[in-house]
C-alpha cells in the first residue's frame, strides 16, 4: 500500500495546562477526501496546525506526504495548500496583490489560473481586502489554497462564511481535486457538507479520534425515515418485528417507520402487499454524528 | 517587483510609515540645525548660562558654544535619537510580533518559507528603513552646512555621526524584534524597547550626576552612540562595536527563539 498522505501516531499537544490533543492517531490515504469532524474545541485546528509545523507536538509522531513537517517543512509546504480556520490578512492590499505575493513565495503561479479560480468563485481581485465581505474574504483564502494545484489540500472549516451556492461550487472544486488524484483533508462541524464529498470521515473529540468510517458504510448504517403507501390497509405488527425497523405507525394505507441499516427485510415484507408509493429520506448522517457523541458519553459514564 | 519575496514585501508594506518617519526626522533635525545662527548671539549664551548645569546635562546640552557642540546636543543628542528609537522600536515590533498578533503570520508561514529566513528577511527590511532614514537626515544636514553656518563640522563628521545614529537605531530595532520574535507579543516588544530607551537615556544623562551610579553610563546605548563626540572626532570604534555587537546578538537570539516556538493564531 502507498505511503499515507497524512499519518500521525499518538499525537499529543498540550498548551500549558490546557489539553489540545491527547493521543491522536490519524491516517489519510493518498487520493482520498477525508472529512475531519468534531465539536468546538475538539482539536481539529490544533491537528492541522501541527501538520503545517506552525506549532510543535508535545509527543507523538507526524508524517505528511512521507516527510517530517519539522525537518523538511519548506519542501513539504510547497506541496500543500492550506486554508486556516480564521483566514486573516492585512486588509490594505488588494486580493490580487496578496495572491501575487503568495504565488511568488511558491515560485510563481500563472495569472490565468488565479483569474480562472476568481471568476469561478465570483471574486473581484481588484478591491482592497478590507472592503470585502466575510464570504468574499473566505474566497480569497480558497483561491490561495487551490491556486498552485497542490498534492495535498489541508482545509480548516473551508466553507464557513460561504453562501449555499458557493459552498456547492467549493465542494465541486474538492471533487475535481480528487479526480485529479489530489488528497483533501478538511475539517468541519457539519456532517452534511462532508458527506457530499468525503470518502471517509474521522470524528475527533476531546483531543482523540472517536471513530473513523467510510461515508458509504455510514449511509448504510444510518437511520432513515421511510413511508410506504399501500393499496389496502396493512397491519403494523407485521412490520414492527422486522430487523432494523422501529417506530412503526400505520394511518390507513400509509405506513411510516424508521429504518436503521439495510432496507432488505422491509422491502421484502412490503412486497407481499401492493405498494403504490415509496418515500425514503436521504439518511441524516448528522444524527449519526450526534449518536457518536452520546455513545461516547455513555461509555464514559460506565467507565 | 515589490511583491517578490518577504524582504521586498516588508519594504512595500512599510512604505508609508517609512516616508512619514523620514519626513518627520529630517524636518525636526533640519529645523533645529537651522536655529544655530540665532543661537550664536551673546544674549542666548547668557540666557543658557543661567540654567542649572545639571539640567542642561540631563538634556545632553553640554556645549552650546560651537556648531558641533550645538548640533551634538540639540539635534543628535536628544530629539533625533529619541525619534529614531521610537521609529526603530515600532518597526522591530512589527517585523514578527505585530504581524503575529494581527493573526496574519500564520498564512505566510504555511508557505514554503523557513521560519528563520522569514524573520531575518523582515529584520533586514527594518534595517534598510533605519539606514535610509538616518542617511537622509545626514544628507539634509550636509546640505544645510552652508545656509545654517555649520562650516566647522566637516562632511566626515556628519558621516561618522550618521553611522553612529544608524547603528543606534538598529540596536533598538533589534531589541524590539528579539523580544517580539521570542514571545510573539507586541506589548512585550514595545515595552522592552521603551524600557531600554528610558533606562539608557537616564543612565547616560542623569545617573552620572548621582554619586555611585556613574558606572551605569557605560552600559547605555546612548553613551555608545554619543560618547567620544563622533561629530567632531569621527567614528568611535568601541561605541560602534558595542552597538553592532548587541544588534547581532539580539537578532540571532530572537531568531533562534522564534524558530523553536509555537506560532500563535
Ligand atoms: N493557543 C492555545 N492556548 C491554549 N489552549 C489552546 C490554544 N489553542 C487551542 N487550545 C485548546 O485546545 C483545544 C483544541 O482547540 P482547537 O482549536 O484545536 O479546536 P477545534 O476543534 O479547531 O475547535 P473549533 O471547532 O472551535 O474550531 C481547545 O480546548 C482549546 O481551548
Ligand atoms: Mg478550529
Amino acid at each position: 500500500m502507498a505511503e499515507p498522505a497524512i499519518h500521525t501516531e499518538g499525537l499529543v499537544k498540550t498548551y500549558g495546562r490546557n489539553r489540545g490533543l491527547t493521543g491522536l492517531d490519524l491516517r489519510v490515504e493518498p487520493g482520498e477526501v477525508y472529512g475531519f469532524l468534531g465539536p468546538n474545541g475538539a482539536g481539529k485546528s490544533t491537528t492541522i496546525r501541527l501538520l503545517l509545523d506552525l506549532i510543535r507536538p508535545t509527543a507523538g509522531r507526524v508524517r505528511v506526504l512521507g516527510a517530517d513537517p519539522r525537518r523538511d517543512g519548506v519542501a513539504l509546504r510547497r506541496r500543500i495548500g492550506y486554508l486556516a480556520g480564521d483566514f486573516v490578512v492585512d486588509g490594505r492590499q488588494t486580493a490580487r496583490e496578496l495572491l501575487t505575493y503568495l504565488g511568488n513565495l511558491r515560485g510563481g503561479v500563472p495569472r490565468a489560473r488565479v483569474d480562472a479560480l476568481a471568476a469561478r468563485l465570483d471574486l473581484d481581485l481588484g478591491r482592497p481586502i478590507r472592503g470585502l465581505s466575510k464570504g468574499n474574504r473566505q474566497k480569497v483564502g480558497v483561491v490561495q489554497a487551490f491556486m498552485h494545484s497542490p498534492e495535498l489540500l489541508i482545509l480548516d472549516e473551508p466553507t464557513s462564511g460561504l453562501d449555499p451556492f458557493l459552498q456547492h461550487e467549493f465542494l465541486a472544486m474538492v471533487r475535481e481535486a480528487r479526480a485529479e488524484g489530489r488528497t483533501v483533508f478538511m475539517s468541519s462541524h457539519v456532517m452534511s457538507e462532508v458527506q457530499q464529498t468525503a470518502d471517509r470521515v474521522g470524528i475527533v473529540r476531546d483531543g482523540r479520534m472517536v471513530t473513523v468510517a467510510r461515508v458509504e458504510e455510514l449511509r448504510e448504517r444510518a437511520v432513515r425515515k421511510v413511508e410506504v403507501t399501500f393499496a389496502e390497509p396493512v397491519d403494523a405488527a407485521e412490520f414492527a418485528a422486522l430487523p432494523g425497523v422501529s417506530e412503526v405507525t400505520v394511518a390507513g394505507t400509509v405506513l411510516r417507520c424508521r429504518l436503521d441499516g439495510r432496507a432488505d427485510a422491509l422491502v421484502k415484507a412490503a412486497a407481499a402487499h401492493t405498494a403504490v408509493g415509496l418515500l425514503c429520506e436521504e439518511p441524516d448522517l448528522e444524527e449519526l454524528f450526534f449518536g457518536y457523541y452520546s455513545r461516547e458519553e455513555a461509555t464514559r459514564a460506565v467507565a | 517587483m515589490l511583491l517578490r519575496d518577504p524582504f521586498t514585501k516588508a519594504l512595500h508594506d512599510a512604505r508609508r510609515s517609512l516616508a512619514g518617519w523620514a519626513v518627520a526626522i529630517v524636518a525636526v533635525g533640519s529645523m533645529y540645525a537651522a536655529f544655530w545662527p540665532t543661537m550664536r548671539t551673546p544674549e542666548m549664551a547668557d540666557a543658557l548660562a543661567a540654567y542649572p548645569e545639571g539640567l542642561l546635562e540631563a538634556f545632553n546640552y553640554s556645549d552650546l558654544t560651537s556648531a558641533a557642540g550645538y548640533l551634538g546636543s540639540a539635534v543628535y543628542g536628544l530629539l533625533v535619537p529619541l525619534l529614531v528609537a521610537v521609529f526603530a522600536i515600532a518597526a522591530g515590533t512589527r517585523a514578527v510580533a505585530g504581524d503575529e498578533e494581527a493573526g496574519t503570520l500564520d498564512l505566510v508561514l504555511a508557505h514554503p518559507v523557513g521560519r528563520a529566513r522569514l524573520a531575518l528577511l523582515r529584520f533586514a527590511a527594518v534595517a534598510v528603513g533605519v539606514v535610509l532614514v538616518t542617511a537622509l537626515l545626514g544628507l539634509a544636514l550636509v546640505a544645510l552646512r552652508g545656509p545654517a553656518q555649520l562650516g566647522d563640522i566637516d562632511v566626515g563628521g556628519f558621516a561618522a555621526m550618521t553611522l553612529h545614529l544608524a547603528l543606534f537605531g538598529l540596536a533598538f530595532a533589534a531589541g524590539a524584534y528579539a523580544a517580539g520574535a521570542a514571545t510573539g507579543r507586541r506589548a512585550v516588544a514595545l515595552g522592552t524597547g521603551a524600557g531600554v530607551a528610558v533606562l539608557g537615556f537616564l543612565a547616560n544623562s542623569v545617573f552620572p550626576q548621582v554619586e555611585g551610579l556613574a558606572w551605569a553610563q557605560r552600559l547605555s546605548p546612548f553613551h555608545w552612540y554619543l560618547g567620544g563626540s563622533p561629530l567632531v572626532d569621527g567614528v568611535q570604534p568601541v561605541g560602534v562595536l558595542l552597538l553592532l555587537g548587541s544588534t547581532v546578538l539580539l537578532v540571532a537570539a530572537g531568531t533562534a527563539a522564534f524558530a523553536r516556538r509555537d506560532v500563535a493564531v
Side-chain angles (χ1 to χ4, degrees):
Chain A
M1 194 170 212
E3 194 166 21
I6 299 174
H7 194 193
T8 77
E9 284 171 322
L11 197 56
V12 175
K13 177 69 189 174
T14 49
Y15 298 99
R17 284 238 209 87
N18 278 10
R19 49 123 211 91
L21 292 180
T22 52
L24 184 89
D25 299 311
L26 170 68
R27 195 184 162 107
V28 179
E29 301 302 336
E32 75 173 335
V33 176
Y34 191 104
F36 195 42
L37 283 171
N40 289 127
K44 302 181 297 293
S45 300
T46 301
T47 306
I48 285 177
R49 301 184 80 240
L50 282 165
L51 298 178
L52 287 147
D53 192 42
L54 293 167
I55 54 177
R56 275 68 188 263
T58 308
R61 236 173 58 94
V62 194
R63 290 194 76 78
V64 181
L65 298 174
D68 175 357
R70 180 80 199 261
R71 265 212 352 264
D72 315 314
V74 174
L76 176 59
R77 290 194 296 269
R78 215 178 287 287
R79 302 160 64 193
I80 298 178
Y82 166 59
L83 176 57
D86 49 347
F87 179 75
V88 256
V89 288
D90 180 0
R92 288 169 301 180
Q93 55 198 329
T94 64
R96 164 83 65 200
E97 283 169 338
L98 174 73
L99 293 171
T100 306
Y101 171 55
L102 295 178
N104 287 342
L105 289 181
R106 298 192 175 280
V109 168
R111 196 183 158 107
R113 165 85 179 146
V114 175
D115 287 341
L117 281 171
R120 182 164 184 187
L121 295 172
D122 191 23
L123 170 67
D124 179 358
L125 293 173
R127 283 174 50 192
I129 293 171
R130 190 176 34 200
L132 297 180
S133 69
K134 177 169 165 34
N136 281 318
R137 247 175 256 182
Q138 185 72 5
K139 291 182 201 168
V140 180
V142 172
V143 173
Q144 65 80 31
F146 279 81
M147 67 183 180
H148 54 294
S149 308
E151 273 168 70
L152 171 62
L153 283 149
I154 298 182
L155 312 167
D156 197 353
E157 292 173 39
T159 56
S160 70
L162 298 183
D163 65 39
F165 174 75
L166 281 155
Q167 286 189 12
H168 184 101
E169 199 57 41
F170 169 81
L171 294 176
M173 283 166 66
V174 168
R175 278 189 285 264
E176 279 163 35
R178 178 183 41 197
E180 291 162 6
R182 306 180 200 293
T183 309
V184 182
F185 180 70
M186 58 188 267
S187 83
S188 179
H189 291 127
V190 265
M191 180 68 100
S192 56
E193 91 179 10
V194 167
Q195 81 187 65
Q196 291 175 50
T197 46
D199 300 297
R200 288 197 300 155
V201 294
I203 295 178
V204 63
R205 186 193 163 94
D206 288 345
R208 52 196 193 79
M209 203 60 99
V210 179
T211 187
V212 180
R214 303 203 66 79
V215 171
E216 288 185 15
E217 280 169 34
L218 287 180
R219 267 214 186 92
E220 264 177 34
R221 292 214 304 260
V223 175
R224 59 197 92 193
K225 293 200 182 82
V226 179
E227 193 181 294
V228 193
T229 311
F230 296 100
E232 281 142 30
V234 291
D235 182 10
E238 189 187 335
F239 292 90
L242 295 171
V245 174
S246 60
E247 295 176 22
V248 179
T249 56
V250 175
T253 58
V254 180
L255 171 118
R256 290 195 183 84
C257 67
R258 275 163 63 91
L259 178 63
D260 194 345
R262 290 172 176 252
D264 190 59
L266 177 64
V267 170
K268 283 183 178 148
H273 304 268
T274 312
V276 290
L278 178 67
L279 198 73
C280 186
E281 269 182 11
E282 176 66 5
D284 187 1
L285 298 191
E286 207 74 57
E287 223 167 284
L288 196 97
F289 179 45
F290 291 133
Y292 271 108
Y293 286 10
S294 45
R295 225 167 290 171
E296 175 74 359
E297 306 277 22
T299 51
R300 279 184 177 225
V302 170
Chain B
M1 182 68 173
L2 277 170
L3 300 173
R4 202 184 61 227
D5 63 33
F7 171 72
T8 54
K9 176 70 159 73
L11 282 177
H12 176 77
D13 288 345
R15 65 197 186 280
R16 284 194 199 92
S17 107
L18 210 53
W21 279 105
V23 167
I25 289 173
V26 168
V28 166
S30 312
M31 209 170 67
Y32 269 80
F35 286 152
W36 168 239
T38 63
M39 294 291 284
R40 305 181 80 171
T41 58
E43 297 80 16
M44 193 57 114
D46 288 345
L48 279 168
Y51 279 102
E53 200 173 319
L55 186 70
L56 291 178
E57 246 173 71
F59 284 99
N60 285 336
Y61 283 24
S62 43
D63 165 26
L64 296 175
T65 56
S66 69
Y70 171 76
L71 222 54
S73 325
V75 179
Y76 281 113
L78 182 67
L79 260 178
V80 164
L82 286 181
L83 284 175
V84 167
V86 172
F87 156 59
I89 290 167
T93 299
R94 214 177 309 122
V96 175
D99 203 8
E100 185 167 352
E101 270 201 11
T104 51
L105 192 59
D106 224 47
L107 179 64
V108 180
L109 286 178
H111 281 73
V113 199
R115 285 252 191 122
R117 195 178 119 81
L118 176 79
L120 288 174
L121 287 174
R122 293 256 178 105
F123 184 78
V126 172
V128 166
V130 169
V131 169
L132 206 72
V133 169
T134 52
L136 281 175
L137 174 69
L139 289 175
L141 292 182
V142 167
L144 279 174
R145 258 175 89 221
Q149 303 169 22
L150 301 168
D152 350 343
I153 308 168
D154 59 20
V155 175
F158 279 111
M161 195 70 237
T162 300
L163 173 71
H164 274 241
L165 181 62
L167 292 175
F168 173 82
L170 285 182
F172 276 98
Y177 161 87
T183 63
R185 314 220 56 92
R186 267 184 89 235
V188 173
L190 289 172
T192 306
V196 171
V198 170
L199 273 179
F201 181 78
L202 293 176
N204 184 49
S205 331
V206 178
F207 295 177
Q209 299 173 50
V210 182
E211 191 131 10
L213 279 181
W215 55 269
Q217 188 180 42
R218 274 174 291 148
L219 299 180
S220 165
F222 281 83
H223 181 65
W224 304 342
Y225 154 62
L226 280 174
S229 308
L231 206 50
V232 183
D233 297 329
V235 173
Q236 303 295 306
V238 176
V240 163
L241 282 178
L242 283 169
L243 288 171
L244 202 60
S246 42
T247 302
V248 170
L249 275 179
L250 285 165
V251 170
T255 308
F258 178 55
R260 210 151 302 162
R261 71 174 171 86
D262 288 354
V263 174
V265 203

